[in-house]
Amino acid sequence: MTDQCRIVIKGGKVVNEDRSETADVLLEDGLIQAVGPNLQVPPGTRVIDACGKLVLPGGIDTHTHMELAFMGTVAVDDFHTGTKAAVAGGTTMILDFVIPQKGASLLKAYERWRSTADPKVCCDYSLHVAVTWWDDTVKKEMEMLVRERGVNSFKMFMAYKDVFMLRDHELYAAFSHCKEIGAIAQVHAENGDLIAEGAKKILSLGITGPEGHELCRPEEVEAEATQRAITIAHSVNCPLYVVHVMSKSAAKVVANARRNGRVVFGEPIAAGLGTDGTHYWNKDWAHAAGFVMGPPLRPDPSTPGYLMDLLANDDLNLTGTDNCTFSVCQKALGKDDFTKIPNGVNGVEDRMSVIWEKGVHSGKMDENRFVAVTSSNAAKIFNLYPQKGRIAKGSDADLVIWDPTATRLISTKTHHQAVDYNIFEGMVCHGVPLVTISGGRVVYEGGRVLAEPGTGRFIPRKPYAEFVYKRIKQREEVRKPSAVARKPYSGEVMSLASNR
Ligand code: URP
Ligand code: ZN
Ligand code: ZN
Ligand code: ZN
């Protein structure tokens, strides 16, 4: 009998973010025990032949919203179907968002998310927490989340006016506090006031369909907020992470800031890299509504290629999906008014293949950069490295055996997600996960998901990720403003009273 808990992956090309080598990988007790050529295979070990294939660190999806209650309904992919789909696509960890209502306790929301996710997850996960309002209790709860609950990232919304949006002075306070407690500030960067005004204007013109969603929030609405967030974060020396960078304009803002030395990271998502906003003008309402998300996909068809170019050269840094799925009947809540279409798209299952196709197969990035942008950089930024994001002795046994030459057709008919459409429908991708291993267990093989709900773990994260905070700490030391030493002014001071 073979011991399913001990696995050797034989003869594959092991790809890390910095190098590739042909090697065997021995897995036991949920960890990678050895990586090297011609490893001895202990009796009873399951041997998986990976000759001619790549062995990659499992994907880390930095941005999901499983079963999020949003815009009057609940996202249809829950932590079970969502993580099943993840492992079927070669992703072995997701980072989901706890989003408390304004005025609600962050800690209670976090506990609720944990008890919802823990029994359902088929792979490891971790949680970002959103700050949707501001006062001293929020401040204290952020501290507790960092110290006691394994959270090191907080998301602030600059959009969704009156729902989740923070004003600039609140962003300033929240970013300052993130810096104090060693967390990274994340922003949904869109100008919520301009969106609210723009939506009224577009509706008044009689435009009620999904195209109105993009028309009321053009690229500059995203770019302006991105620049504003970077300015506020820099003013308090806080590291910033811009989630779902969707436009060329916003991507240029992030790239310029990085080139000017700002500690900022940009996250394009599978949707923005793999498809575009021309679909909002499709004559079929349901088709068009399926692509509605915020910030919107952009109608400029050169956008996905441009975002991929920036991702390839590290102007943008890593990828998520913003997987937040609503089926067609849920999208139809907005059939007469685009502002009521629940915002969100799929991606958690297809991210790896879409990025391989558009990034590696196209020749824009190599296999090592693929690993960086789908796994290692996420692990570094969120302080999980090298537990995650690397194939090395001692790292978690989260891997995917990847066939770079095989192709697969993306379709609702075959995907593992609960949602009833797929924004990548009909896309043929090179780059196919053959076997996914999570925590040392085979969770996907031969086209079948083998993972059981509740087998994934919550992974706590410590503050002050070195990859992010080394520069921040040094700047804090050496860039403190200081007063000029001078003799006190002793001349005449005008009298304001006598000037009246
Ligand atoms: O449309 C989106 N992005 N839905 C999920 C919530 C968010 O803004 O990330
Ligand atoms: Zn968002
Ligand atoms: Zn279309
Ligand atoms: Zn999101």
Side-chain angles (χ1 to χ4, degrees):
M1 251 217 354
T2 56
D3 180 354
Q4 291 298 316
C5 296
R6 193 165 58 225
I7 298 171
V8 164
I9 303 167
K10 274 255 155 225
K13 195 209 262 188
V14 173
V15 183
N16 276 309
E17 111 246 27
D18 51 351
R19 64 192 291 252
S20 307
E21 59 178 327
T22 299
D24 302 341
V25 187
L26 174 65
L27 316 175
E28 195 172 6
D29 298 331
L31 297 176
I32 298 170
Q33 303 291 351
V35 182
N38 306 314
L39 293 181
Q40 291 293 325
V41 181
T45 305
R46 176 169 178 201
V47 178
I48 302 178
D49 178 19
C51 288
K53 308 291 183 292
L54 307 182
V55 184
L56 313 176
I60 300 175
D61 186 337
T62 52
H63 188 154
T64 68
H65 301 281
M66 302 308 173
E67 55 191 290
L68 177 69
F70 189 45
M71 297 183 74
T73 184
V74 178
V76 69
D77 275 295
D78 66 8
F79 281 98
H80 181 216
T81 60
T83 53
K84 253 173 74 174
V87 298
T91 288
T92 54
M93 180 169 185
I94 61 166
L95 287 99
D96 204 86
F97 287 85
V98 177
I99 309 185
Q101 297 301 312
K102 271 189 193 294
S105 158
L106 278 63
L107 270 173
K108 282 193 188 139
Y110 166 94
E111 299 299 354
R112 209 174 48 249
W113 241 268
R114 285 290 308 274
S115 50
T116 303
D118 282 346
K120 295 186 187 172
V121 282
C122 296
C123 66
D124 288 353
Y125 80 106
S126 202
L127 292 172
H128 313 290
V129 176
V131 173
T132 56
W133 57 295
W134 189 253
D135 78 358
D136 276 350
T137 55
V138 174
K139 237 175 126 167
K140 286 203 189 78
E141 291 201 330
M142 286 170 74
E143 271 160 44
M144 287 174 71
L145 286 163
V146 167
R147 267 191 280 126
E148 296 163 23
R149 303 291 199 284
V151 173
N152 69 13
S153 44
F154 293 93
K155 178 179 177 183
M156 277 59 76
F157 289 91
M158 300 169 82
Y160 305 124
K161 188 177 177 182
D162 302 327
V163 183
F164 299 139
M165 184 171 116
L166 294 188
R167 296 278 168 199
D168 286 2
H169 67 280
E170 295 168 316
L171 292 173
Y172 184 94
F175 290 1
S176 304
H177 199 50
C178 282
K179 203 283 297 295
E180 292 307 316
I181 59 182
I184 187 162
Q186 301 177 286
V187 272
H188 173 132
E190 285 186 293
N191 185 319
D193 283 317
L194 286 184
I195 293 169
E197 296 305 324
K200 279 189 245 165
K201 189 168 104 191
I202 296 296
L203 285 170
S204 77
L205 295 173
I207 301 170
T208 59
E211 68 281 13
H213 176 74
E214 206 281 336
L215 291 170
C216 76
R217 50 217 287 168
E219 292 202 13
E220 62 199 25
V221 169
E222 186 188 354
E224 181 277 331
T226 306
Q227 182 61 62
R228 187 155 38 97
I230 291 169
T231 306
I232 297 171
H234 179 62
S235 73
V236 295
N237 192 25
C238 176
L240 185 71
Y241 179 107
V242 184
V243 305
H244 48 41
V245 177
M246 299 300 289
S247 63
K248 288 165 76 171
S249 313
K252 282 177 195 166
V253 170
V254 172
N256 280 340
R258 286 177 61 79
R259 286 164 190 209
N260 286 324
R262 303 291 180 259
V263 183
V264 55
F265 304 96
E267 172 207 77
I269 62 169
L273 294 162
T275 184
D276 64 47
T278 54
H279 295 277
Y280 297 132
W281 279 263
N282 194 286
K283 293 272 197 220
D284 174 357
W285 185 90
H287 178 99
F291 292 78
V292 168
M293 65 159 297
L297 291 152
R298 299 304 174 179
D300 173 351
S302 66
T303 306
Y306 185 84
L307 294 176
M308 187 61 83
D309 285 331
L310 267 58
L311 183 64
N313 69 17
D314 210 33
D315 280 324
L316 299 172
N317 315 99
L318 73 171
T319 57
T321 57
D322 204 0
N323 192 95
C324 185
T325 46
F326 299 101
S327 283
V328 173
C329 67
Q330 294 175 293
K331 291 275 181 184
L333 291 167
K335 70 183 177 51
D336 302 317
D337 176 350
F338 64 84
T339 66
K340 299 194 168 69
I341 301 171
N343 284 204
V345 295
N346 64 286
V348 73
E349 182 164 352
D350 301 316
R351 178 182 66 120
M352 300 280 278
S353 290
V354 165
I355 296 172
W356 189 274
E357 173 67 23
K358 304 281 183 183
V360 185
H361 187 72
S362 71
K364 292 191 177 202
M365 61 174 73
D366 60 24
E367 66 208 20
N368 307 97
R369 182 67 189 163
F370 176 80
V371 166
V373 302
T374 56
S375 184
S376 319
N377 285 354
K380 289 178 182 175
I381 290 171
F382 295 114
N383 220 4
L384 294 161
Y385 192 83
Q387 178 189 358
K388 305 284 187 192
R390 187 155 191 92
I391 299 180
K393 185 173 181 320
S395 295
D396 284 356
D398 292 353
L399 310 101
V400 53
I401 301 176
W402 189 259
D403 189 336
T405 52
T407 57
R408 75 181 184 92
L409 169 71
I410 298 179
S411 174
T412 320
K413 294 193 189 86
T414 48
H415 74 199
H416 296 79
Q417 302 206 218
V419 65
D420 59 5
Y421 73 94
N422 190 315
I423 57 166
F424 306 114
E425 185 72 39
M427 189 186 287
V428 175
C429 291
H430 292 82
V432 176
L434 300 177
V435 179
T436 307
I437 298 174
S438 165
R441 285 182 307 272
V442 174
V443 288
Y444 174 78
E445 187 173 23
R448 287 198 321 129
V449 177
L450 308 168
E452 291 297 322
T455 47
R457 298 167 302 164
F458 173 78
I459 305 292
R461 295 173 289 128
K462 292 200 170 75
Y464 297 106
E466 283 206 349
F467 187 72
V468 173
Y469 261 89
K470 268 189 181 165
R471 286 180 290 166
I472 294 289
K473 283 180 178 166
Q474 180 65 7
R475 285 172 195 200
E476 196 68 10
E477 290 290 309
V478 300
R479 294 196 190 167
K480 272 204 186 89
S482 56
V484 175
R486 39 170 101 80
K487 285 190 189 134
Y489 174 76
S490 58
E492 191 187 350
V493 180
M494 74 171 285
S495 158
L496 288 176
S498 67
N499 203 28
R500 283 218 178 111

